[in-house]
Amino acid sequence: MARKKSWQNLLENEVFLKKIQADTEESRQVFISDPSINATVQAWSSPFRGNAADVLLVTISDYLNKQRVVYARHTSIVNSSGTGKSRIVDEVARKILTVPMCLREDGSQGFPPPDEALRGWLTSTTNPNDQFAVAQKLHGFVYSLLAVTHKYLVTIESERHDIPTLPTLTDDDIDNLSQAERSEQARLVKVRQGKLAGAFHECMTAGQSFQSPNSYRQTFFEEVIDRATEFTRDTVRVLGLREQSLPGYQHRGERVTKAGIKLSRFVDPKGLLDSAEGPRHPLVILAFDESHTLTDTPRGKSWTVFSELHWVLGQLVDLPIFSLFLSTAGKFQLFSPEIRSDPSRRVANRDLPPLHPVSEISFDDLAYPAIEDNITLSRVVQMDWIAHLGRPLFGSHFDALPKNRSKGEIMLFAKQKLLDGKSSLADVNGPGTLACLSVRFALEFNIANGDARIVARRQIERHMRLCVAATTGFETLVTVAGSEPLLAEAACQLMSGTEANPVRHLVNNSDLNCVDLGQRGELVAALLVMRARDESSVINKWVYVIDFMKALLPAPAYEILKDARPSHWRPGESKPFEETFSGCAMWFNHVIRIRDSDMINIRSLWKFITRGAMVMCANKQRGIDIVLPICNTSRKLSRNNVTAILIQVKNDKTFQHQIDKMLFDGMDPFRIGLCLMGTSRCRSSEWSLPSPLINPAFSFPRCLSAETTMDDSLRTISDVRGCHRKHLRTSVAI
């Protein structure tokens, strides 16, 4: 509780009690209640960019490796909304035969549209507590899905003239092929598979609307349901197919495995794409979108529809048929349960472990090119620029919106996605507020805390947090708040509408105990910096350096600063602070945490401006903790038009109100790597700064250690001095 109290005391400081000026007109206007449906559909049909689909195919091929002994060949794709999960699978479906199934619940909007008949049939049963009946039904479903897919592909091949016919080869012919000839035959099989996949994809998706799939797809699943129902009525239990004395099922002598073999041989008749070692080329993918509807647990039971489907799919484990389960909402961790909790004894004993979930996503694939010496600050703060940074959802949606409504609509859309459908912060202490704080301050969660893992999962499921990596059962879970200036701008507007500052939101949040508050006080410094930014950027998204420093410092301190001159300068550059920084500005609305200290250099600083980010340095970064890039508003962005405010934070009782000036020596731009020492391989611009540096040091004496309480006299200490490097134009340390 000491730490909670220390943050509570922070609220008493006057620097966090000042009111921010009113929002811009843009943030106050009334938007339409829902994003445009036409924009959503059009965005789906826009050209796919990036390599995420290829990455997914490589992962699936690796998971099909015969030497990887697993219970079943399936995994989940885990990440937050808008990261392109469904679109990535749709792109894969143009190359690999993919049966798409969308099980979205009633009342939940989204695209692609739900297969309502299939979802209703899968989730309904006469007795939902009868595990045997559910298992029998799912056997019928998988069997009929494979059989009907095979039937429809045969029809497509007979009706399409662009699908090549494979040469007729006997087993002896295959055995006598040279390596080159075998590779050529395998290439022909891949070409045919791609043509079949493209034709099937077109049949299943052409003409689909926001409300419903096309008639072809509806007919397809009606036949799947009919054949599955017939299978269920006329099946024979076959003991010994499953552990724990539960039976398998066969229909007129056919089982799921036989249907899988038949479909696989249609795609690759001679197994030319198969491999005994290493990755295997997938022939068929079964894709279950919005599949959290399968994870509801019957009352008093330990199994779900998904867990039963899991072991049915296990009968296809030796075939190049893979299943994907996509979900954002609900208990997505159930698609990759902890090994020890799996119903199968062999899985629980790690003999047949489940596959790790997939977290690869599309990010910045729609971003506009940021070319050095080609763009200006006024360009990178425009709505279309920031909408195309980050996940593809917003950029593609923005492009499809009517131009006269795009700015307001995309901002409303971002707010609704961030708050799980809401457009205002009704619960100022709830998970929506935590999401707003996360995207602005790059909050991290202490995953060692069990509650924090639950909070992190909820933020992924409902509030746009990104999953970087996860293992089976989410025993390891790495999450981040992505660098997305559109979401940060939405969060800024949402929080300003509550008339409370970010510190109060953070301190009062019910999940504060799950947040990693840092060791050096860097989060407090970031709150101070962002508070000054919000106060001084009323009209423009960017903030002038002079206005920012006025907002950051107490009035008496700024009066000293504005007329201060550097102690070291080059000829003709001994000018007062305000004259020196006239026309210089910053653009940031969120924090980006870097892990590689080498990113703090003159060649990279201007790039952070293009995405509206202030930089929180790695824990072992020498001399500095926060970097605020600065540029001249009249010049194009480049390494020749950038400098920075370098901030060092001290959270130690030995640092009191009088700051040791030796601290500033540690902020030397050469020592920290911001400027490179002159060598034959370095440009002159890489070992000198075109503009001055500002070096603040924030001292929080006795205030943020876990053992003590927040000092109620938190203040910014000013000290004006110059950098000892004479070839830097100016250096003002605060």
Side-chain angles (χ1 to χ4, degrees):
M1 293 302 294
R3 194 157 197 169
K4 176 89 174 185
K5 290 179 180 178
S6 69
W7 280 80
Q8 188 66 45
N9 290 342
L10 181 59
L11 291 176
E12 305 303 323
N13 192 277
E14 62 179 6
V15 73
F16 292 117
L17 297 179
K18 294 190 294 183
K19 289 185 177 293
I20 298 176
Q21 298 179 41
D23 293 329
T24 64
E25 184 64 27
E26 179 182 78
S27 70
R28 295 198 304 267
Q29 62 180 298
V30 178
F31 303 117
I32 59 174
S33 58
D34 293 301
S36 168
I37 290 177
N38 289 335
T40 301
V41 177
Q42 290 179 36
W44 182 268
S45 60
S46 62
F48 185 87
R49 299 181 190 176
N51 65 346
D54 296 330
V55 172
L56 178 60
L57 268 179
V58 169
T59 302
I60 292 174
S61 297
D62 181 62
Y63 280 177
L64 285 170
N65 189 333
K66 289 182 178 179
Q67 295 174 311
R68 184 187 286 271
V69 182
V70 296
Y71 191 82
R73 305 284 178 182
H74 71 74
T75 191
S76 57
I77 300 182
V78 173
N79 234 303
S80 56
S81 176
T83 50
K85 300 183 298 296
S86 300
R87 185 67 194 277
I88 291 170
V89 173
D90 182 76
E91 187 64 18
V92 168
R94 300 173 187 270
K95 305 174 184 178
I96 305 296
L97 280 164
T98 302
V99 183
M101 293 162 277
C102 184
L103 308 180
R104 183 177 293 107
E105 297 170 298
D106 286 332
S108 176
Q109 290 187 323
F111 194 83
D115 299 298
E116 295 181 354
L118 178 64
R119 182 201 63 224
W121 186 84
L122 280 174
T123 57
S124 65
T125 182
T126 304
N127 183 0
N129 292 317
D130 188 341
Q131 187 175 6
F132 290 103
V134 172
Q136 184 183 34
K137 183 176 184 176
L138 292 174
H139 266 84
F141 163 67
V142 176
Y143 169 82
S144 63
L145 186 66
L146 298 171
V148 172
T149 300
H150 175 259
K151 174 187 172 182
Y152 275 59
L153 290 175
V154 171
T155 302
I156 288 173
E157 185 178 40
S158 66
E159 294 176 349
R160 299 283 292 254
H161 302 294
D162 60 335
I163 298 176
T165 301
L166 295 175
T168 301
L169 299 174
T170 65
D171 291 341
D172 289 339
D173 293 333
I174 297 297
D175 292 339
N176 293 326
L177 290 176
S178 66
Q179 185 61 43
E181 291 171 333
R182 187 179 183 90
S183 297
E184 174 60 18
Q185 291 299 318
R187 186 190 68 81
L188 294 176
V189 174
K190 276 191 178 182
V191 170
R192 175 175 173 270
Q193 182 195 28
K195 292 290 186 179
L196 282 170
F200 186 67
H201 173 269
E202 181 181 352
C203 290
M204 295 289 278
T205 61
Q208 63 185 348
S209 68
F210 190 84
Q211 290 78 19
S212 63
N214 62 25
S215 58
Y216 183 97
R217 183 159 166 169
Q218 293 182 45
T219 301
F220 176 89
F221 284 120
E222 286 172 2
E223 185 165 345
V224 169
I225 292 170
D226 289 343
R227 294 192 65 168
T229 303
E230 179 187 355
F231 182 101
T232 304
R233 286 198 305 261
D234 186 19
T235 58
V236 177
R237 289 188 176 187
V238 182
L239 298 177
L241 292 182
R242 187 180 176 189
E243 300 175 68
Q244 300 176 335
S245 301
L246 295 178
Y249 301 88
Q250 67 180 25
H251 172 64
R252 297 177 182 173
E254 292 198 359
R255 299 178 185 171
V256 168
T257 305
K258 187 172 182 179
I261 293 172
K262 189 174 182 180
L263 177 58
S264 298
R265 287 180 177 172
F266 174 78
V267 180
D268 183 12
K270 296 299 180 179
L272 291 170
L273 301 182
D274 206 359
S275 174
E277 297 180 353
R280 299 167 71 198
H281 184 75
L283 299 184
V284 180
I285 295 174
L286 308 180
F288 299 82
D289 203 351
E290 298 292 343
S291 50
H292 53 273
T293 55
L294 304 178
T295 61
D296 292 336
T297 305
R299 180 173 297 179
K301 305 296 181 179
S302 61
W303 56 273
T304 65
V305 172
F306 169 75
S307 67
E308 296 304 298
L309 181 59
H310 162 68
W311 72 264
V312 176
L313 294 174
Q315 297 180 43
L316 304 173
V317 69
D318 295 325
L319 301 175
I321 298 176
F322 198 83
S323 297
L324 291 170
F325 293 87
L326 290 68
S327 182
T328 297
K331 302 175 181 179
F332 63 68
Q333 72 275 12
L334 295 180
F335 294 114
S336 181
E338 293 178 299
I339 292 176
R340 60 180 175 270
S341 64
D342 195 284
S344 168
R345 289 194 303 270
R346 295 184 68 191
V347 173
N349 292 334
R350 299 178 183 265
D351 293 332
L352 298 174
L355 295 166
H356 293 311
V358 174
S359 58
E360 285 83 3
I361 60 171
S362 292
F363 201 82
D364 278 355
D365 287 327
L366 301 186
Y368 294 147
I371 302 173
E372 191 171 9
D373 281 318
N374 191 58
I375 52 176
T376 62
L377 178 63
S378 60
R379 177 69 185 98
V380 300
V381 299
Q382 293 174 11
M383 186 63 73
D384 66 323
W385 182 280
I386 68 174
H388 286 78
L389 290 167
R391 68 194 76 210
L393 171 70
F394 298 118
S396 59
H397 196 86
F398 183 91
D399 291 340
L401 287 167
K403 298 304 179 185
N404 62 334
R405 302 175 68 178
S406 56
K407 291 183 180 180
E409 185 112 7
I410 197 65
M411 184 56 66
L412 176 62
F413 188 40
K415 291 177 181 178
Q416 291 172 331
K417 298 301 290 186
L418 190 58
L419 297 185
D420 192 26
K422 301 179 180 65
S423 57
S424 63
L425 274 174
D427 181 7
V428 296
N429 299 326
T433 300
L434 186 62
C436 291
L437 291 165
S438 293
V439 299
R440 295 209 73 193
F441 296 98
L443 297 185
E444 295 184 332
F445 298 124
N446 180 16
I447 301 300
N449 180 333
D451 291 339
R453 293 173 63 190
I454 296 173
V455 170
R457 288 204 302 260
R458 184 169 66 235
Q459 289 289 310
I460 296 170
E461 294 166 4
R462 301 289 183 180
H463 300 289
M464 309 298 275
R465 191 170 180 84
L466 298 175
C467 176
V468 177
T471 58
T472 301
F474 296 86
E475 294 169 334
T476 298
L477 180 63
V478 181
T479 71
V480 297
S483 174
E484 298 182 89
L486 177 63
L487 281 179
E489 198 67 19
C492 179
Q493 293 186 14
L494 286 166
M495 297 179 71
S496 65
T498 65
E499 298 185 354
N501 61 65
V503 176
R504 188 170 296 277
H505 282 299
L506 181 61
V507 171
N508 292 333
N509 194 271
S510 57
D511 294 319
L512 175 63
N513 63 309
C514 300
V515 176
D516 185 348
L517 301 177
Q519 299 299 317
R520 307 185 306 277
E522 63 272 27
L523 180 54
V524 177
L527 289 163
L528 283 166
V529 168
M530 198 69 76
R531 174 66 182 76
R533 177 266 178 197
D534 292 347
E535 183 178 347
S536 52
S537 62
V538 176
I539 299 176
N540 299 313
K541 286 189 174 68
W542 74 65
V543 52
Y544 286 103
V545 172
I546 292 173
D547 294 336
F548 173 79
M549 297 306 295
K550 286 180 181 178
L552 180 66
L553 297 177
Y558 184 77
E559 287 299 313
I560 298 173
L561 174 65
K562 72 175 185 177
D563 297 321
R565 296 171 183 264
S567 57
H568 296 280
W569 61 89
R570 294 188 295 198
E573 294 182 348
S574 178
K575 301 176 182 179
F577 176 84
E578 286 194 346
E579 183 179 352
T580 298
F581 285 95
S582 176
C584 292
M586 300 177 291
W587 155 229
F588 63 90
N589 65 3
H590 69 287
V591 171
I592 183 171
R593 293 178 183 265
I594 62 170
R595 310 297 180 186
D596 183 359
S597 59
D598 291 339
M599 293 182 68
I600 303 300
N601 62 70
I602 196 67
R603 292 169 297 188
S604 300
L605 281 185
W606 69 273
K607 299 176 184 178
F608 292 111
I609 298 175
T610 67
R611 64 185 315 119
M614 75 167 170
V615 183
M616 190 171 290
C617 300
N619 286 334
K620 295 182 180 180
Q621 179 76 42
R622 292 177 297 173
I624 56 173
D625 298 297
I626 294 174
V627 179
L628 308 179
I630 299 173
C631 69
N632 190 298
T633 59
S634 63
R635 297 169 56 191
K636 293 181 178 179
L637 296 175
S638 74
R639 70 191 73 190
N640 298 314
N641 178 30
V642 68
T643 185
I645 298 178
L646 306 180
I647 299 175
Q648 185 175 162
V649 185
K650 290 299 180 183
N651 171 34
D652 192 308
K653 64 179 65 177
T654 62
F655 291 94
Q656 299 296 318
H657 298 162
Q658 296 299 320
I659 293 181
D660 185 350
K661 293 185 178 183
M662 293 296 291
L663 290 176
F664 296 108
D665 293 334
M667 302 167 77
D668 185 317
F670 289 89
R671 292 183 180 180
I672 66 175
L674 179 63
C675 299
L676 304 179
M677 297 301 293
T679 67
S680 60
R681 294 179 298 173
C682 293
R683 299 188 195 181
S684 61
S685 61
E686 293 176 349
W687 54 270
S688 66
L689 287 168
S691 300
L693 281 172
I694 305 175
N695 296 351
F698 289 2
S699 176
F700 303 136
R702 302 184 299 106
C703 65
L704 283 179
S705 66
E707 296 80 14
T708 60
T709 60
M710 173 64 70
D711 186 88
D712 63 359
S713 61
L714 173 66
R715 66 186 67 184
T716 303
I717 308 301
S718 300
D719 177 42
V720 181
R721 67 188 296 272
C723 179
H724 63 274
R725 296 281 185 179
K726 291 194 295 183
H727 49 262
L728 299 181
R729 290 188 178 179
T730 311
S731 181
V732 181
I734 300 167

